[in-house]
Amino acid sequence: MLKIMAVAGMQWSEVREMFPDKFLLLEDLKSHIENGELHIEEVAVIRPLKDGKEAMDELMRAHNKVFVYHTKHEHISMPVRPKPAYRGYMQ
């Protein structure tokens, strides 16, 4: 049974206090790009994940602004990779 929790509009420090040492399925609500990295400021917690296997499965299904992250990290930042061009054409 899939339990969806959705706690919206939280700072990462608050999330880390609520879910210590957990993988979480999250949605990016507020972020900015700086020096080639996406820095996420505000998230919605969709649900906690039970282990690394479930985290990997969810990561493979994640799209748009949904992602998986572990609360051991003090800040949420990820490298931004440009979309690859196909025969010189980029969308």
Side-chain angles (χ1 to χ4, degrees), residues 9-15 27-34 38-44 67 75-78:
M10 295 182 71
Q11 299 295 314
W12 183 237
S13 58
E14 296 171 309
V15 174
E27 182 177 1
D28 170 10
L29 297 178
K30 183 178 178 187
S31 59
H32 68 278
I33 296 174
E34 184 178 312
L38 177 68
H39 296 275
I40 299 177
E41 301 162 31
E42 192 174 309
V43 296
F67 63 100
H75 304 282
I76 303 177
S77 63
M78 297 173 246

Side-chain angles (χ1 to χ4, degrees), residues 14-31:
E14 296 171 309
V15 174
R16 291 181 74 216
E17 285 179 25
M18 283 182 70
F19 302 98
D21 199 35
K22 293 276 186 199
F23 282 106
L24 301 173
L25 185 60
L26 304 165
E27 182 177 1
D28 170 10
L29 297 178
K30 183 178 178 187
S31 59

Side-chain angles (χ1 to χ4, degrees), residues 81-91:
R81 304 203 197 290
K83 289 183 179 180
Y86 180 71
R87 293 189 184 185
Y89 177 75
M90 285 188 63
Q91 289 182 317

Side-chain angles (χ1 to χ4, degrees), residues 55-74:
M56 184 59 76
D57 291 343
E58 287 296 336
L59 181 61
M60 292 301 173
R61 285 192 288 266
H63 61 282
N64 296 332
K65 293 188 165 216
V66 175
F67 63 100
V68 173
Y69 217 69
H70 197 281
T71 56
K72 71 180 178 185
H73 300 286
E74 200 169 313

